């Protein structure tokens, strides 16, 4: 099969990930049962995806269970795919089980995730948020030990400040420990600052890679919220109500209407334009896409063919309608 997917190095590491990847937040265990979860992964795989993102906290462990079951059924060779998980929030109650990156929690959490994923190791493990109540040095040592014990291959952070990432990297450098190689930040047409400004120095200084999330701003950038919240969408899920004000923001939805024209001129859909826009940034190693239906996976991953169409002129046209609204 002829594929448009390219593979990029995860920052300065040698690991190669598909420029578009697939994640399971909100969907696995909530919107998708085990068959649909497997079908989405199979569709992503067929489009050339080799990286599947997960987290301990997604559906309180259920998302890892579904992905583990799907991987067992799909039977792909372990060398051919990359799986991640993330730790911080925890899924059981107790002073060392919630909102922490202390050594005790981390060393226990990885064993639970491996069991649920039915894997001997994960390729990537993220500190899902920063923990101001644990010394960064303690966390760096725990991540190093996780790798040394063969339970993970690489580690990184998610939504850490540039200063926190640099501190972790410097501790690892000083003690000859495994360094964080990747950060997982939100990045889309309406959410840019951290990736484009705050982290700028880190790409060159420490070779930071990026696996970015919410390329469609949870669906806003598909145009589906232009007339309010449609039934069956993420915005209609009771526990996702915190997103609704942004999803239905009038100025952003007006801008999305203008983006639809640009997408039309390029011969692609809005979702494809928005996903390709993220991948157009050379500091992005992979854009993690999400989907609640197999058809969305098919549509979204065709964005790989749109990336080369985003010329400087097209990027300027996108900026002209969205940059003033972007945070
Ligand atoms: N590190 C972190 O803190 C963090 C946070 C969030 C996400 N992530 C990762 O990033 C991944 C992607 O994030 P995300 O799910 O927020 O991505 P997103 O692309 O912004 O939103 C995906 C959602 O938009 C809707 N959608 C997708 N394609 C569509 C299409 N073609 N047409 C219409 N609607 C479409 C679907 O929801 P509905 O159909 O239900 O409307 C889908 O679940 C997650 O799975 C997770 O792995 C990480």
């Amino acid at each position: 099969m002829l594929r448009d997917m390219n593979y990029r190095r995860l920052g300065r590491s040698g690991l190669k990930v598909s420029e578009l990847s697939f994640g399971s937040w909100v969907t696995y265990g909530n919107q998708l049962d085990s068959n649909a979860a497997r079908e989405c992964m199979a569709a992503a795989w067929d489009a050339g995806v080799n990286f599947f993102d997960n987290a301990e906290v997604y559906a309180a462990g259920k998302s890892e269970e579904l992905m583990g079951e799907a991987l067992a059924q799909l039977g792909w060779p372990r060398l051919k795919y990359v799986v991640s998980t993330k730790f911080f929030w925890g899924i059981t109650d107790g002073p060392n089980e919630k909102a922490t990156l202390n050594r005790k929690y981390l060393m226990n959490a990885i064993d639970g995730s491996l069991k649920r994923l039915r894997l001997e190791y994960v390729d990537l493990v993220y500190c899902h948020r920063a923990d101001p109540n644990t010394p960064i040095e303690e966390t760096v040592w725990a991540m190093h030990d996780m790798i040394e014990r063969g339970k993970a291959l690489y580690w990184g952070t998610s939504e850490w400040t540039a200063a926190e990432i640099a501190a972790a990297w410097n501790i690892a450098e000083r003690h000859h420990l495994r360094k964080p190689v990747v950060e997982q930040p939100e990045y889309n047409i309406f959410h840019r600052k951290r990736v484009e400004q705050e982290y700028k120095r880190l790409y060159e200084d420490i070779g930071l890679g990026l696996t970015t999330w919410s390329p469609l701003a949870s669906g806003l950038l598909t145009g589906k919220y232009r007339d309010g919240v449609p039934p069956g969408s993420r915005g209609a899920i009771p526990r996702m109500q915190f997103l609704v004000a942004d999803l239905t923001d009038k100025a952003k939805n007006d801008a999305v209407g203008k983006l639809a024209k640009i997408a039309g001129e390029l011969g692609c859909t809005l979702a494809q334009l928005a996903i390709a826009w993220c991948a157009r940034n050379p500091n992005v190693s992979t854009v993690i896409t999400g989907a609640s239906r197999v058809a969305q996976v098919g549509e979204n991953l065709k964005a790989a063919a749109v990336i080369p169409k985003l010329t400087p002129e097209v990027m300027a046209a996108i900026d002209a309608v969205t940059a003033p609204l972007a945070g």
Side-chain angles (χ1 to χ4, degrees), residues 22-27 31 52-55 58 86 89 126 128-129 158-159 184-186 188 211-220 222 224-225 230 232-235 237 269 271-272 275 288-293 295-297 299-300:
F22 186 65
S24 60
W25 180 53
V26 186
T27 55
Q31 293 170 293
F52 299 90
D53 185 62
N54 216 320
Y58 294 170
K86 314 187 196 79
W89 278 289
Y126 295 90
H128 210 158
R129 290 294 181 268
S158 180
E159 296 292 350
Q184 186 169 135
E186 180 176 2
N188 58 58
T211 60
T212 60
W213 58 267
S214 285
L216 300 176
S218 278
L220 166 64
T222 66
K224 70 201 287 181
Y225 293 97
S233 67
R234 181 176 290 183
I237 300 173
T269 68
Q272 290 162 351
I275 291 168
I288 312 174
T289 65
S292 67
R293 297 161 179 68
Q296 292 174 355
V297 179
E299 176 185 343
N300 296 349

Side-chain angles (χ1 to χ4, degrees), residues 107-149:
M107 298 317 276
N108 184 74
I110 184 68
D111 289 338
S113 285
L114 292 179
K115 206 165 164 200
R116 287 186 292 275
L117 286 163
R118 307 188 200 181
L119 295 175
E120 283 175 16
Y121 67 91
V122 286
D123 301 271
L124 274 170
V125 62
Y126 295 90
C127 295
H128 210 158
R129 290 294 181 268
D131 169 17
N133 296 308
T134 299
I136 292 181
E137 184 164 353
E138 176 175 334
T139 299
V140 172
W141 271 104
M143 301 313 283
H144 170 82
D145 287 342
M146 218 182 266
I147 292 175
E148 291 303 297
R149 292 177 192 184

